[in-house]
Amino acid sequence: MATINENFLKLFNNYLFSEIARKVKAFKENHPDRNVISLGIGDVTQPLPKASVDAMARAVKDMENITTFRGYGPEHGYDFLINAIIKNDYLPHGIELSPSEVFISDGAKSDCGNIGDILSINNSVGVTDPVYPVYVDSNVISGRAGNRTNAGWSNVIYMPCNAENHFKPRIPQRHIDIIYLCFPNNPMGVVLNKEELREWVDYALENDSIILYDAAYEAYIQEEDIPHSIYEIAGAKECAIEFRSFSKTAGFTGVRCGYTIVPESLTASAPDGRRVSLNQLWNRRQCTKFNGTSYITQRGAEAIYTEQGKEQVRNTINYYMTNAMLMRNGFEELGVHVYGGENAPYLWIKTPDGISSWNFFDQMLHEANVVVTPGIGFGPSGEGYVRLTAFGHREDCEEAMKRIKQWMN
Ligand code: PLP
């Protein structure tokens, strides 16, 4: 008798986004005349950089010709993209990487979800609360999260982020083996400065922990002192894996490309106490289960590092960050507490008068016809907050803010 991985039965249904979709659908059916604007959207709206589109078109032509056709590529990516990443994303920050430390993939979600394959299911796991749900759910699937209790998963340590700690997790007072950090943060839009990130690296080194650092929104950082990579901190190559994505940087949500850095010097313990290279394990894992990102996609990603590509990416990020500023200013004028949106495309809004996340969502949908994401959906500490994203069209952001102002006034 074949049996299932029963851990799947432990997973919560994706209540948050299905519930939002259900409520919005019902509202639209009952009010077909209303134009509903979504500021909850987590997908980009601006098209790909032209440099990438042109490069992908050329790559398609390569596939037509017997001399330039490509079949299976290297599992961990083509050198042309790996070298462009090292040269443009790391060297300017003083970080030297060897090509064998860069693994190209089909996106950060796959890598964040799959990285647990190379780590024992007996490790304890630390996550922020609120959190990007993939970190927790992938640990539930593998059996590492333990059992569901009223306080969350038994083997997951939740690090609450609230106004008191400026939405930044405190350094744990106890030992945690694997820690997921995401900065700039989704959903809260906050960042860590170098000193703050250094404390995490020091903690990980002292505790022999691994930090899984999700830097999917690194391109949105505007301020000088904010690290773009965890490897800007001395010692991080001995304790951290970093995930990056072209999705929000260059509109690749539908094209699919990202990469993961696993330093050669990063090791963890085997049951017999030997230290084992995580780079070698991840390489083995990828070679076994992944056959590489398409040549066409990697040519498209490479093109964002050309002068033309860089300028186009900058323009798109400026566009979204102008949306973020516009929304921030709007909420500030209303006297609402607003966090994030300065180095990230996410704004974290305190609901007024202690209204619950879902009540605020419902009121805003019904009275202003604007959709946001209830913060409670990202974890218990998200109660009393909603998340807004800056990925919408400018005219939608402007219209939504106009409506919200009228409604809240
Ligand atoms: N990490 C975070 C924090 C995200 O918010 C997202 C997407 O929303 C991802 C990773 C996934 O990125 P990708 O599209 O590269 O899979």
Side-chain angles (χ1 to χ4, degrees), residues 12-13 26 37 139 155 305 372:
F12 294 105
N13 289 333
I37 297 176
N139 280 290
N155 200 28
Y305 297 110
V372 293

mmCIF file of all heavy atoms in Angstrom, residues 12-13 26 37 139 155 305 372:
data_model
loop_
_atom_site.group_PDB
_atom_site.id
_atom_site.type_symbol
_atom_site.label_atom_id
_atom_site.label_comp_id
_atom_site.label_asym_id
_atom_site.label_seq_id
_atom_site.Cartn_x
_atom_site.Cartn_y
_atom_site.Cartn_z
ATOM 1 N N PHE A 12 -1.731 23.972 7.156
ATOM 2 C CA PHE A 12 -2.941 24.786 7.083
ATOM 3 C C PHE A 12 -3.261 24.974 5.608
ATOM 4 O O PHE A 12 -2.356 25.044 4.783
ATOM 5 C CB PHE A 12 -2.710 26.197 7.647
ATOM 6 C CG PHE A 12 -2.421 26.233 9.103
ATOM 7 C CD1 PHE A 12 -1.127 26.459 9.548
ATOM 8 C CD2 PHE A 12 -3.433 26.076 10.028
ATOM 9 C CE1 PHE A 12 -0.848 26.528 10.899
ATOM 10 C CE2 PHE A 12 -3.154 26.147 11.381
ATOM 11 C CZ PHE A 12 -1.865 26.363 11.819
ATOM 12 N N ASN A 13 -4.529 25.105 5.284
ATOM 13 C CA ASN A 13 -4.859 25.534 3.921
ATOM 14 C C ASN A 13 -4.350 26.945 3.780
ATOM 15 O O ASN A 13 -4.221 27.665 4.751
ATOM 16 C CB ASN A 13 -6.375 25.530 3.719
ATOM 17 C CG ASN A 13 -6.878 24.118 3.664
ATOM 18 O OD1 ASN A 13 -6.137 23.213 3.291
ATOM 19 N ND2 ASN A 13 -8.122 23.932 4.061
ATOM 20 N N ALA A 26 -16.872 37.902 -3.922
ATOM 21 C CA ALA A 26 -18.249 38.092 -3.443
ATOM 22 C C ALA A 26 -18.623 39.574 -3.526
ATOM 23 O O ALA A 26 -19.718 39.927 -3.970
ATOM 24 C CB ALA A 26 -18.376 37.581 -2.012
ATOM 25 N N ILE A 37 -9.685 48.305 -6.381
ATOM 26 C CA ILE A 37 -8.233 48.427 -6.622
ATOM 27 C C ILE A 37 -7.504 47.575 -5.594
ATOM 28 O O ILE A 37 -7.794 47.651 -4.400
ATOM 29 C CB ILE A 37 -7.772 49.894 -6.481
ATOM 30 C CG1 ILE A 37 -8.450 50.758 -7.535
ATOM 31 C CG2 ILE A 37 -6.248 49.997 -6.599
ATOM 32 C CD1 ILE A 37 -8.133 52.244 -7.400
ATOM 33 N N ASN A 139 9.219 23.506 6.104
ATOM 34 C CA ASN A 139 9.690 22.720 7.247
ATOM 35 C C ASN A 139 8.607 21.775 7.769
ATOM 36 O O ASN A 139 8.915 20.694 8.266
ATOM 37 C CB ASN A 139 10.176 23.647 8.368
ATOM 38 C CG ASN A 139 11.580 24.147 8.084
ATOM 39 O OD1 ASN A 139 12.537 23.375 8.135
ATOM 40 N ND2 ASN A 139 11.716 25.418 7.736
ATOM 41 N N ASN A 155 8.487 22.647 16.978
ATOM 42 C CA ASN A 155 9.942 22.744 16.798
ATOM 43 C C ASN A 155 10.359 24.064 16.124
ATOM 44 O O ASN A 155 11.472 24.201 15.647
ATOM 45 C CB ASN A 155 10.441 21.545 15.969
ATOM 46 C CG ASN A 155 11.922 21.312 16.158
ATOM 47 O OD1 ASN A 155 12.483 21.632 17.208
ATOM 48 N ND2 ASN A 155 12.577 20.795 15.132
ATOM 49 N N TYR A 305 22.453 43.254 -16.256
ATOM 50 C CA TYR A 305 23.728 43.800 -15.785
ATOM 51 C C TYR A 305 24.437 44.641 -16.842
ATOM 52 O O TYR A 305 25.545 45.115 -16.606
ATOM 53 C CB TYR A 305 24.642 42.667 -15.304
ATOM 54 C CG TYR A 305 24.075 41.911 -14.119
ATOM 55 C CD1 TYR A 305 23.624 40.598 -14.254
ATOM 56 C CD2 TYR A 305 23.978 42.519 -12.872
ATOM 57 C CE1 TYR A 305 23.109 39.907 -13.166
ATOM 58 C CE2 TYR A 305 23.454 41.830 -11.787
ATOM 59 C CZ TYR A 305 23.028 40.529 -11.936
ATOM 60 O OH TYR A 305 22.505 39.859 -10.854
ATOM 61 N N VAL A 372 -6.348 45.285 0.654
ATOM 62 C CA VAL A 372 -5.025 45.194 1.295
ATOM 63 C C VAL A 372 -4.876 43.760 1.811
ATOM 64 O O VAL A 372 -5.788 42.954 1.654
ATOM 65 C CB VAL A 372 -4.895 46.209 2.452
ATOM 66 C CG1 VAL A 372 -4.892 47.629 1.930
ATOM 67 C CG2 VAL A 372 -5.994 46.005 3.490
#
